[in-house]
Amino acid sequence: MKYLIYNDISYIFHKKKKILLCSFLLPLLIVFIYSHGEASSINIVKICVGANFDLKNFSIISLLMLLFNGFTFIYLILDIYTKDLDQYLENIFLRIKPQKYIIKKNITFLSLSIIIKAIQYSLIILLLFIFQKNILDLRILQLFVTDILYIAVLEYLFLFIYFIYILMKKNIYILIIMLSILLFFFPKTIWSTNKYTILFVTLLMVVHLLIISIFLKVPKKLIEEVYL
């Protein structure tokens, strides 16, 4: 299992380094653009991660950063899990119980997500400090926690939908319906979800339990459907 954890970390930071570099450098470009204006530090950080996107006060930059922020992590989670599904699943389950595998896999990826976000925010704050912006704002820490929860729930909902898609014999219509429901009902503004922290933590736990139950009850079916 230690090999799997090391393999995931190495895979993300070596095989996906271009994506990681974009997730670190693009927000810094936003900081550079907005730091010369009147925007406060917290508002600049919100723009960097797309946290202030609002349909009522539409901003193309905020929308693009929200999409970039969300789809980067959705891509990473789907890629790192499907890597095992496509290449190593049978061998993995010969060595470890399916539920133990998915629990440790989830913990590893959540930890990686937090690390990536921590690096992203640290670089943003460092550049703001260089430009002598007032960065002593506790709302940045609040945004950091909210952003992580938002992204974690979003990426694991997408992962759960992907597993259901596989178990339903890769029915594209079911996939489209589930994704449409998710995109319609899921909050579009990251910052506004800070009022629902407990709800998001609960939702994240429920989704994790649902994913674990899939690996607990139907691991053989999952393997069979992957190789169809």
Side-chain angles (χ1 to χ4, degrees):
M1 196 63 212
K2 289 182 179 179
Y3 169 76
L4 286 175
I5 295 173
Y6 172 79
N7 186 50
D8 285 344
I9 295 173
S10 176
Y11 181 79
I12 287 291
F13 284 94
H14 289 89
K15 299 295 184 179
K16 302 300 172 182
K17 57 185 176 182
K18 290 182 179 179
I19 294 176
L20 289 182
L21 282 175
C22 286
S23 70
F24 297 148
L25 296 179
L26 189 55
L28 297 185
L29 177 61
I30 300 297
V31 174
F32 180 78
I33 293 172
Y34 281 88
S35 61
H36 299 289
E38 298 298 323
S40 63
S41 295
I42 181 63
N43 284 332
I44 292 175
V45 179
K46 286 180 183 178
I47 296 170
C48 287
V49 297
N52 66 337
F53 175 72
D54 190 344
L55 289 172
K56 295 180 181 179
N57 299 300
F58 185 81
S59 168
I60 187 64
I61 293 180
S62 294
L63 173 61
L64 291 175
M65 292 309 296
L66 175 64
L67 293 175
F68 176 77
N69 189 38
F71 282 109
T72 294
F73 282 88
I74 290 170
Y75 169 78
L76 289 177
I77 193 171
L78 291 178
D79 189 63
I80 202 169
Y81 279 81
T82 53
K83 168 178 64 73
D84 287 351
L85 291 177
D86 292 337
Q87 301 176 27
Y88 310 115
L89 198 60
E90 287 182 317
N91 292 331
I92 289 171
F93 287 174
L94 289 174
R95 301 178 183 179
I96 187 173
K97 292 181 179 180
Q99 62 269 31
K100 187 176 181 181
Y101 157 79
I102 195 63
I103 289 172
K104 291 194 174 183
K105 186 82 171 179
N106 286 351
I107 292 173
T108 299
F109 191 80
L110 273 177
S111 300
L112 278 170
S113 297
I114 293 171
I115 291 170
I116 292 170
K117 274 292 173 186
I119 295 173
Q120 185 184 65
Y121 273 72
S122 297
L123 291 172
I124 291 171
I125 291 171
L126 177 61
L127 195 59
L128 283 172
F129 179 78
I130 292 173
F131 285 118
Q132 299 181 342
K133 283 281 183 179
N134 180 17
I135 60 172
L136 296 177
D137 194 331
L138 291 179
R139 288 177 297 174
I140 294 177
L141 178 60
Q142 183 182 6
L143 175 59
F144 173 70
V145 175
T146 302
D147 191 12
I148 287 176
L149 273 176
Y150 182 95
I151 290 299
V153 172
L154 183 63
E155 60 190 1
Y156 275 96
L157 280 172
F158 264 85
L159 183 66
F160 174 70
I161 289 172
Y162 177 75
F163 287 153
I164 296 298
Y165 162 69
I166 291 176
L167 292 174
M168 298 302 291
K169 301 183 183 299
K170 298 180 180 178
N171 188 312
I172 190 65
Y173 298 107
I174 291 177
L175 177 64
I176 292 173
I177 290 171
M178 289 190 296
L179 287 177
S180 298
I181 292 172
L182 174 60
L183 294 175
F184 182 79
F185 287 102
F186 200 77
K188 308 302 186 295
T189 306
I190 295 176
W191 180 244
S192 66
T193 60
N194 66 72
K195 297 176 289 186
Y196 309 105
T197 300
I198 296 177
L199 177 62
F200 266 63
V201 171
T202 303
L203 182 57
L204 182 60
M205 293 173 63
V206 169
V207 176
H208 273 273
L209 289 174
L210 289 172
I211 291 174
I212 291 169
S213 68
I214 290 175
F215 278 79
L216 178 63
K217 295 182 179 181
V218 288
K220 291 183 180 180
K221 186 176 180 181
L222 188 64
I223 295 174
E224 291 171 358
E225 295 298 335
V226 166
Y227 291 109
L228 283 179

